[in-house]
Amino acid sequence: MDWSKFPQLAADIATLWAKYGFVNYFCGMVRTVVLAIIATVIGCVIGLACGILQTVPHSKADHPAKRFFLGLIRVILRVYIEVFRGTPMILQAVFIFYGLPYFTSNTVRFDNIWTVSILVVSINTGAYMAESVRGGILSVDPGQTEGAKAIGMTHFQTMISVILPQALRNIMPQIGNNFIINIKDTSVMFIIGFTDFFAAHKAVAGATFTYFPSATIEMAGYLTMTLIASFLLRWVEKRMEGSDSYELVQTDALTMTAGTYKHPAKGSNYDEHSREYRDNPEQSLEDRNFTARGDR
């Protein structure tokens, strides 16, 4: 290995960054992060909806129309998930950006490159998140669903109040993984003209013929973005877990001497807010407690 090349590489990187650092590389990184954030959020919403629809319960006792539409929806969702998980994102971008004008004689086309880029990455993310959400919902103990139904909660109430909070906690690492993947995979959007971080590298390398030094900047930039994203996502996960230090409650702050509870506004029949206390403030606490229990 020729170690003398490393000083030359460092000099080439310094030259490229001094000339193209802000205009190309930095602006490309900002576009990459913004696209990844927006597409991940929209993709999570799509995946959440698809995951919930896939887990809606139905039985032979349900109305035939309900069973038909649920079955149809599940078939459509299955096709969507398999197609977008089984094909490269770069081809999905080509088919959506170039295919729609081709089949509609330019009647349907995207004039805003941001719109089509967000659409492609969001739909692709949604396909992966749909299976993650479905798995997260199924990972929750079925006994909790049965308990919710036992107290009269509907399926919608059970899903919102009981299942989804736990499922989202379970799939939080997968959401983080998809965000990091999107930071890297948005690089394929250059095929339709989106000027992200990778497109900036292609432009600089083409103008200066310094492909490897530019690629080194590119690799360092992607690594920096993903490391920062990983750190922030781990911080969010720890915040969701809560404190790992627990103290047992020895006394109940609401419990009074007689073993009953007081209402915050109305008080009880033996404290300073009660009618008995106002009518006879000289009566001892012990006498009022006996009165409350019916011992007198």
Side-chain angles (χ1 to χ4, degrees):
M1 179 179 290
D2 189 356
W3 297 100
S4 63
K5 291 293 184 180
F6 284 95
Q8 181 62 42
L9 176 62
D12 291 339
I13 290 174
T15 301
L16 291 177
W17 187 259
K19 188 174 182 179
Y20 302 101
F22 181 80
V23 177
N24 292 81
Y25 292 117
F26 183 75
C27 291
M29 292 175 68
V30 171
R31 294 189 186 98
T32 294
V33 172
V34 171
L35 175 59
I37 292 174
I38 296 176
T40 302
V41 171
I42 298 176
C44 287
V45 174
I46 296 173
L48 187 64
C50 294
I52 293 175
L53 288 173
Q54 290 185 95
T55 57
V56 175
H58 68 282
S59 63
K60 294 182 179 179
D62 293 331
H63 194 278
K66 176 183 178 181
R67 287 186 288 144
F68 171 77
F69 281 110
L70 283 177
L72 179 62
I73 289 173
R74 291 183 178 183
V75 170
I76 294 173
L77 292 178
R78 179 52 53 188
V79 172
Y80 155 65
I81 291 170
E82 294 301 332
V83 169
F84 279 88
R85 287 199 311 170
T87 56
M89 190 189 295
I90 188 171
L91 293 180
Q92 296 167 15
V94 169
F95 269 76
I96 292 177
F97 186 71
Y98 297 108
L100 288 178
Y102 178 84
F103 285 106
T104 61
S105 299
N106 286 326
T107 303
V108 180
R109 56 180 300 173
F110 292 95
D111 296 323
N112 190 318
I113 201 66
W114 270 96
T115 302
V116 65
S117 299
I118 292 174
L119 177 64
V120 172
V121 182
S122 299
I123 294 176
N124 183 274
T125 303
Y128 285 93
M129 285 305 305
E131 289 298 283
S132 298
V133 172
R134 185 177 69 88
I137 292 174
L138 295 178
S139 69
V140 178
D141 186 0
Q144 300 197 33
T145 302
E146 296 172 1
K149 291 181 178 179
I151 62 175
M153 296 180 69
T154 63
H155 176 73
F156 179 79
Q157 292 172 331
T158 302
M159 189 64 65
I160 296 298
S161 302
V162 179
I163 304 300
L164 283 183
Q166 300 177 72
L168 290 177
R169 174 62 189 87
N170 293 339
I171 66 175
M172 189 63 195
Q174 186 60 37
I175 294 176
N177 287 339
N178 282 328
F179 175 61
I180 292 174
I181 289 172
N182 283 341
I183 290 178
K184 298 180 296 181
D185 285 359
T186 52
S187 59
V188 303
M189 291 298 108
F190 83 94
I191 197 69
I192 58 175
F194 185 75
T195 54
D196 68 333
F197 191 32
F198 186 77
H201 153 66
K202 296 283 288 183
V204 172
T208 60
F209 300 102
T210 53
Y211 195 92
F212 183 71
S214 181
T216 305
I217 296 175
E218 195 79 3
M219 183 175 64
Y222 276 115
L223 182 60
T224 301
M225 289 188 288
T226 54
L227 288 177
I228 293 174
S230 298
F231 173 79
L232 293 176
L233 290 167
R234 290 185 181 276
W235 178 80
V236 171
E237 288 182 27
K238 289 183 179 180
R239 296 284 294 180
M240 293 181 67
E241 290 176 358
S243 175
D244 57 357
S245 177
Y246 301 95
E247 295 182 1
L248 294 177
V249 177
Q250 303 298 329
T251 59
D252 190 341
L254 295 178
T255 305
M256 303 304 290
T257 307
T260 58
Y261 289 84
K262 69 176 183 178
H263 190 280
K266 299 178 181 178
S268 67
N269 56 357
Y270 57 84
D271 62 15
E272 64 273 14
H273 299 288
S274 65
R275 183 180 63 184
E276 287 81 357
Y277 183 88
R278 293 195 302 269
D279 294 342
N280 190 6
E282 301 300 328
Q283 186 182 15
S284 67
L285 175 62
E286 182 179 357
D287 291 341
R288 290 197 298 273
N289 290 341
F290 277 112
T291 301
R293 295 196 299 266
D295 295 336
R296 291 181 57 185

